[in-house]
Amino acid sequence: EVQLVESGGGLVQPGGSLRLSCEVSGFTFSTFWMNWVRQAPGKGLEWVANIKPDGGEKYYVDSVKGRFTISRDNAKKSLYLQMNSLRVEDTAVYYCARDLSAAGNFDFWGHGTLVTVSS
Amino acid sequence: EVVLTQSPATLSLSPGERATLSCRASQSVGIFLAWYQQKPGQAPRLLIYDTSNRATGVPARFSGSGSGTDFTLTISSLEPEDFALYYCQQRSDWPPFTFGQGTRLDIK
């Protein structure tokens, strides 16, 4: 059974940092592109970043470029999102999602982890 | 960036009725459009990818059609568990992948 489990969310002040993790099981992690997608409270979905299976390519939405870093450890079957210089508008549930097609079909999602940026 | 506009914002129907949800893209996305279902407190679920391909385990009452800039998700006969939020998403021109703002399907 495919499972993705996020952790690391919490309350952080503006300007602070947080590192999210996503541990996966039930599939060969090292062969799939992986993504982070977020959802602000009561709002729609926003794709944040993705990473190639070998970690050699990474892409970001403009609003997080230079502040967030996506990475992965294939040996640990884990995906990460390092978030620096956090802003109030980064408040959201952050989901990790597997990419079915290596280019934007998100077929399995974790349950999400809530990040709240507030003073 | 490709902007996706979904309509209507809310659709109120009864179980057994047919639902038609629309998604319009600001530029052609070819066939590279997907649909997701989201229920309260849950993660999104992939229903349809590349316009008309049902994801694993998705019932046959869900179907997708369209191309270019206009797409439709059809639920042929609504079941009680189908009342949820629905999002479209394009993967034609990325980054970024973009989502529509969602259509809420309510029980009438």
Side-chain angles (χ1 to χ4, degrees):
Chain A
E1 180 191 5
V2 171
Q3 288 194 319
L4 298 84
V5 180
E6 301 94 337
S7 60
L11 175 63
V12 62
Q13 291 188 336
S17 298
L18 216 50
R19 188 194 195 210
L20 306 183
S21 300
C22 173
E23 288 191 41
V24 314
S25 59
F27 66 97
T28 306
F29 179 69
S30 60
T31 63
F32 285 86
W33 283 75
M34 294 296 296
N35 298 261
W36 288 99
V37 178
R38 67 184 178 182
Q39 187 169 35
K43 302 297 184 183
L45 300 166
E46 180 183 37
W47 174 81
V48 174
N50 69 350
I51 184 169
K52 195 177 178 180
D54 65 1
E57 291 180 40
K58 306 174 185 181
Y59 300 92
Y60 301 90
V61 68
D62 282 350
S63 59
V64 308
K65 279 181 185 174
R67 301 188 299 123
F68 289 12
T69 302
I70 190 171
S71 62
R72 65 192 295 161
D73 185 331
N74 286 341
K76 294 183 177 179
K77 298 184 181 180
S78 291
L79 176 72
Y80 305 102
L81 187 67
Q82 177 66 43
M83 304 186 295
N84 298 331
S85 303
L86 281 161
R87 304 168 181 169
V88 171
E89 55 265 34
D90 295 319
T91 295
V93 174
Y94 285 73
Y95 297 99
C96 64
R98 189 181 84 165
D99 196 325
L100 166 67
S101 59
N105 286 318
F106 311 128
D107 65 338
F108 283 97
W109 298 62
H111 57 84
T113 188
L114 176 61
V115 172
T116 303
V117 185
S118 175
S119 55
Chain B
E1 175 175 317
V2 178
V3 176
L4 299 177
T5 303
Q6 293 186 240
S7 62
T10 303
L11 185 59
S12 296
L13 294 170
S14 301
E17 289 193 294
R18 181 184 188 91
T20 303
L21 287 68
S22 295
C23 179
R24 175 164 288 179
S26 59
Q27 64 190 66
S28 177
V29 298
I31 63 163
F32 300 117
L33 189 104
W35 292 92
Y36 297 82
Q37 177 193 67
Q38 188 178 32
K39 297 180 180 179
Q42 295 185 17
R45 172 196 180 195
L46 178 65
L47 296 176
I48 302 285
Y49 64 95
D50 294 350
T51 297
S52 58
N53 297 286
R54 276 190 302 276
T56 302
V58 175
R61 64 181 181 272
F62 291 91
S63 63
S65 62
S67 67
T69 60
D70 290 290
F71 298 86
T72 300
L73 173 69
T74 301
I75 311 171
S76 58
S77 179
L78 285 164
E79 297 288 341
E81 62 267 27
D82 298 336
F83 293 92
L85 262 171
Y86 291 84
Y87 293 96
C88 58
Q89 173 249 324
Q90 68 82 26
R91 68 179 190 94
S92 172
D93 182 17
W94 70 278
F97 301 112
T98 53
F99 291 86
Q101 83 282 13
T103 289
R104 183 180 304 277
L105 180 54
D106 282 346
I107 298 178
K108 190 172 183 180

